[in-house]
């Protein structure tokens, strides 16, 4: 009779020695021997800590998730998951929220410091769904306003962290924003997404959103979810600071100032103003009929080119090429190009590719509009002199004044706050003086443009840090005088005259200048951060870089 229990015991032992299934070894399965009760407040809360009630490592069976290998020696093992400079401190709150959140985003997830929530959550816990929705709506306004992907992610991370959701991962692409909240290793993640369907340039709205994020992130300011939603609704409802007729007049003055910058006189100034105003009104008409932005650029490029061709046909002794060049300055998509290159340099390659494709389509639209008019003009006998396009007379004082008028009107077209218009105008004037001095020293155009754009990015970043705001209002308009309008027009004119080699070479030169502007602006911004103390680092030399594709 005793044999029976012995056999049963042997059968049970054999069952225990059988290899366990994958489900039994899952990282989310409660280990054998743990107590199901709630751990005390002073117990370890890390998901990598040994749960209370588990057996010691010596008593655990081989293959347990918590058992150390038999060959393990603690004295000879390196520190696991520890960077060279050591683990960061528990909190980082001695810098503006942009720097704090950018630093945390550039850290691996497993070594991010535990950030203390700025807004005190309720006892029942933060309302996850509403916090994620508010975060996505704020990110949508920033991305639609032209902000870079890294800065949008930093703002989204700041909002979610401030309302108690530390385990959030925001993701930004050109048209899609998503965010995922992971409560713990054993709870189901919560994800939400939002699509950006409309884009508009309104830097006043962008500044208001930045102010809202700054207030939410500040520990000394208590903003409830209801208050944040109310302020966000007000930002959406606010009208643009400038009426339509002011924007049209600004577009005309921008083209007139650009024509003066490249050698035009008084007559050319007013002709460029007229061409830009007609082009702007024609683009507004196409937009009101629902035509895509590509066709709006095609139509907007035609009136300045038509007026330039008409001046040449009338044999008026003025620089007709300056009229067309001035119209091109008002259309070149410098803002989108800077954002595209910034996203590429910070590791957001999908968003950068989409933005570069957008720039390419808009540029092709400008080319088609100008080439169509130039071809008709050549058939009618209007033979412009290509050498006049690149031979720009030196008029330093007049050109400095024209560059500042160009930046001033560009800032109005971007719907900037009145308090920032004068700052960016001064920044653009400094950039043009730097460019002119370098060109007078016979430095080639591309490095001269890059250095001047670097100063724009440097001063823009310093201004934005002083005001705790976005750098775009202090940078975008200031690069206006540096845009390659003359090289673009010379390339188009050469192509229209069937000189493809010279035309393509000039367009490539224009593209190189445009890339120099974008890279210079980004380099200036990064240079300003090199000499500023970053959170979690004892010196600027230990500042974390952007996303990398290699292991260094």
């Amino acid at each position: 009779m005793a044999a029976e229990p012995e056999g049963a015991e042997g059968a049970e032992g054999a069952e225990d020695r059988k290899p366990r299934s994958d489900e039994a070894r899952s990282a989310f399965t409660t280990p054998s021997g743990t107590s199901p009760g709630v751990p005390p407040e002073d117990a370890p809360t890390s998901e990598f800590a040994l749960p209370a009630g588990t057996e010691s490592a010596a008593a655990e069976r081989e293959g347990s998730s918590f058992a150390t290998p038999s060959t393990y020696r603690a004295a000879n093992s390196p520190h696991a998951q520890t960077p060279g400079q050591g683990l960061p401190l528990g909190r980082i709150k001695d810098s503006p929220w942009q720097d704090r959140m950018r630093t945390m985003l550039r850290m691996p997830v497993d070594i991010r410091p535990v950030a203390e929530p700025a807004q005190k959550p309720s006892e029942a816990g933060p309302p996850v769904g509403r916090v994620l929705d508010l975060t996505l709506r704020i990110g949508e306004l920033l991305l639609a306003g032209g902000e870079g992907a890294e800065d949008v992610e930093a703002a989204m991370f700041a909002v979610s962290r401030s309302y108690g959701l530390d385990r959030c991962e925001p993701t930004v692409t050109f048209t899609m924003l998503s965010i995922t909240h992971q409560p713990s290793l054993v709870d189901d993640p919560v994800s939400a997404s939002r699509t950006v369907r409309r884009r508009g340039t309104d830097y006043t709205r962008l500044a208001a959103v930045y102010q809202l994020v700054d207030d939410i992130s500040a520990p000394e300011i208590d903003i409830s979810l209801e208050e944040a939603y109310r302020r966000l609704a007000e930002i959406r409802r606010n009208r643009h600071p400038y009426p339509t007729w002011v924007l049209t007049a600004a577009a005309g003055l921008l083209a007139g100032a650009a024509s003066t910058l490249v050698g035009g006189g008084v007559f050319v100034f007013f002709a460029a103003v007229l061409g830009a105003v007609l082009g702007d009104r024609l683009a507004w008409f196409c937009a009101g009929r629902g035509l895509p932005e590509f066709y709006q650029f095609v139509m907007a490029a035609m009136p300045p080119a038509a007026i330039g061709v008409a001046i040449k046909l009338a044999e008026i002794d003025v620089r007709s090429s300056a009229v067309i060049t001035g119209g091109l300055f008002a259309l070149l998509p410098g803002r989108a190009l800077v954002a595209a290159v910034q996203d590429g340099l910070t590791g957001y390659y999908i968003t950068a590719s989409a933005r570069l494709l957008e720039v390419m389509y808009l540029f092709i639209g400008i080319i088609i509009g100008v080439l169509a008019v130039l071809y008709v003009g050549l058939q009618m006998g209007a033979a412009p002199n290509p050498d006049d396009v690149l031979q720009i007379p030196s008029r330093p004082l007049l050109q400095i004044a024209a560059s500042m008028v160009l930046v001033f009107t560009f800032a109005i077209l971007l719907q900037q706050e009145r308090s920032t218009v004068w700052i960016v105008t001064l920044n653009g004037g400094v950039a043009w003086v730097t460019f002119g001095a370098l060109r007078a020293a016979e430095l080639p155009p591309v490095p001269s443009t890059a250095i001047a754009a670097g100063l724009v990015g440097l001063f823009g970043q310093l201004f934005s840090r002083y005001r705790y705001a976005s750098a775009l209002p202090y940078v975008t308009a200031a690069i206006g005088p540096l845009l390659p309008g003359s090289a673009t027009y010379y390339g188009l004119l050469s192509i229209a005259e069937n000189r493809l080699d010279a035309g393509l070479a000039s367009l490539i030169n224009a593209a190189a200048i445009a890339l120099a502007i974008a890279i210079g602006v980004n380099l200036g911004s990064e240079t300003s951060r090199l000499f500023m103390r970053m959170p979690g680092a004892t010196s600027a030399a230990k500042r974390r870089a952007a996303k990398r594709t290699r292991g260094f």
Side-chain angles (χ1 to χ4, degrees):
M1 297 295 294
E4 257 180 48
E6 213 169 314
E9 241 179 285
E12 288 176 10
E15 286 292 329
D16 289 339
R17 288 191 296 272
K18 287 183 179 179
R20 290 178 174 268
S21 64
D22 290 339
E23 288 79 4
R25 296 178 183 274
S26 171
F28 298 98
T29 305
T30 305
S32 174
T34 56
S35 57
V38 179
E41 291 182 358
D42 57 347
T45 57
S46 170
E47 61 269 22
F48 302 103
L50 189 68
T54 54
E55 300 174 347
S56 64
E60 285 180 317
R61 294 172 297 179
E62 187 70 25
S64 170
S65 301
F66 299 98
T68 56
S70 58
T71 57
Y72 175 77
R73 295 293 181 272
N76 301 328
S77 64
H79 294 289
Q81 302 293 335
T82 304
Q85 68 271 21
L87 289 173
L89 299 176
R91 291 185 294 175
I92 50 175
K93 58 176 184 178
D94 300 327
S95 307
W97 66 265
Q98 296 98 318
D99 293 334
R100 300 199 313 269
M101 296 304 107
R102 187 182 291 111
T103 300
M104 293 185 69
L105 285 173
R106 291 180 177 185
M107 287 181 179
V109 179
D110 55 343
I111 65 171
R112 281 179 185 169
V114 179
E116 180 179 335
Q119 306 294 335
K120 302 298 182 183
S122 61
E123 295 182 359
V128 177
R130 297 192 66 198
V131 172
L132 296 185
D133 179 70
L134 176 68
T135 302
L136 287 173
R137 290 177 182 273
I138 289 176
E140 178 194 10
L141 283 181
L142 292 176
L143 187 62
E147 192 60 84
E150 185 180 37
D151 293 324
V152 175
E153 282 195 2
M156 294 172 65
F157 196 77
V159 173
S160 62
R161 180 202 67 85
S162 298
Y163 286 110
L165 302 185
D166 289 337
R167 296 173 175 270
C168 282
E169 282 299 323
T171 304
V172 175
T173 59
F174 186 58
T175 57
M176 176 72 72
L177 302 99
S178 64
I179 187 169
T180 300
H181 172 58
Q182 179 78 46
S184 68
L185 285 179
V186 296
D187 292 326
D188 295 331
V190 181
S191 298
S193 61
R194 196 171 181 88
T195 303
V196 178
R197 302 190 182 278
R198 294 191 63 186
R199 299 178 184 274
T201 303
D202 188 343
Y203 283 176
T204 300
R205 177 180 294 176
L206 190 70
V209 177
Y210 258 80
Q211 184 61 50
L212 174 60
V213 177
D214 185 54
D215 291 343
I216 291 175
S217 305
E220 63 274 8
I221 301 177
D222 186 16
I223 297 182
S224 63
L225 276 174
E226 289 73 17
E227 175 68 13
Y229 267 110
R230 184 190 65 79
R231 287 181 57 177
L232 191 63
E234 289 180 355
I235 293 172
R236 284 181 173 274
R237 285 196 302 265
N238 282 347
R239 297 179 60 86
H240 299 307
Y242 307 106
T244 304
W245 68 268
V246 173
L247 298 181
T248 302
L253 288 176
L254 190 156
S259 67
T260 305
L261 200 65
V262 295
V266 176
F267 182 84
V268 170
F269 175 88
F270 285 105
V273 169
L274 178 61
V277 168
L278 292 177
D280 183 77
R281 288 291 86 197
L282 193 57
W284 277 97
F285 176 81
C286 295
R289 298 301 182 272
L291 286 178
E293 197 172 17
F294 173 83
Y295 300 106
Q296 297 175 30
F297 271 75
V298 172
M299 302 305 294
M302 286 184 171
I307 291 179
V309 170
I311 291 175
K312 194 64 180 179
L313 288 173
E315 297 182 355
I316 302 175
D317 189 17
V318 294
R319 293 176 64 94
S320 60
S321 61
V323 178
I324 304 176
T325 304
L328 290 176
F329 269 91
L331 296 176
L332 291 177
R335 173 182 58 88
L337 179 64
V338 170
V341 174
Q342 179 182 356
D343 286 343
L345 294 177
T346 51
Y348 294 83
Y349 301 115
I350 296 178
T351 307
S353 301
R355 280 181 163 163
L356 284 175
L357 188 63
E358 178 190 34
V359 170
M360 185 188 72
Y361 272 113
L362 299 181
F363 191 69
I364 291 176
I366 297 171
I367 290 175
I368 291 175
V370 175
L371 274 182
V373 176
L374 288 180
Y375 182 77
V376 173
L378 289 174
Q379 301 304 313
M380 297 174 63
N385 185 7
D387 296 332
D388 290 342
V389 179
L390 300 180
Q391 292 176 358
I392 300 175
S394 178
R395 300 177 295 177
L397 295 180
L398 183 60
Q399 288 176 329
I400 292 174
S403 67
M404 296 183 73
V405 172
L406 191 155
V407 175
F408 180 83
T409 53
F410 198 179
I412 292 177
L413 285 176
L414 295 174
Q415 303 278 3
Q416 290 190 199
E417 291 180 302
R418 290 174 174 83
S419 60
T420 65
V421 169
W422 302 105
I423 297 175
V424 72
T425 301
L426 179 62
N427 196 11
V430 171
W432 178 257
V433 170
T434 304
F435 174 78
L438 294 174
R439 291 294 293 131
E442 298 184 354
L443 195 68
V446 173
S448 300
T449 303
I451 294 173
L455 288 178
V456 169
L458 176 62
F459 293 149
Q461 188 65 32
L462 293 176
F463 284 133
S464 69
R465 284 179 61 87
Y466 176 73
R467 295 197 170 204
Y468 298 98
S470 171
L472 288 181
Y474 305 100
V475 169
T476 307
I479 65 173
L482 304 176
L483 293 174
S486 298
T488 302
Y489 173 60
Y490 182 81
L492 298 180
L493 181 59
S494 299
I495 292 175
E497 293 179 340
N498 204 23
R499 295 186 294 121
L500 296 181
D501 293 341
L504 292 178
S506 183
L507 289 180
I508 291 174
N509 183 42
I513 293 174
L515 288 176
I517 292 173
I519 295 174
V521 168
N522 182 267
L523 182 60
S525 299
E526 294 296 329
T527 302
S528 68
R529 297 190 185 106
L530 285 177
F531 303 100
M532 299 174 183
R533 183 175 178 178
M534 292 293 106
T538 56
S539 67
K542 295 183 178 180
R543 184 175 66 97
R544 290 195 174 271
K547 295 180 180 178
R548 302 262 186 202
T549 54
R550 290 182 222 150
F552 58 87

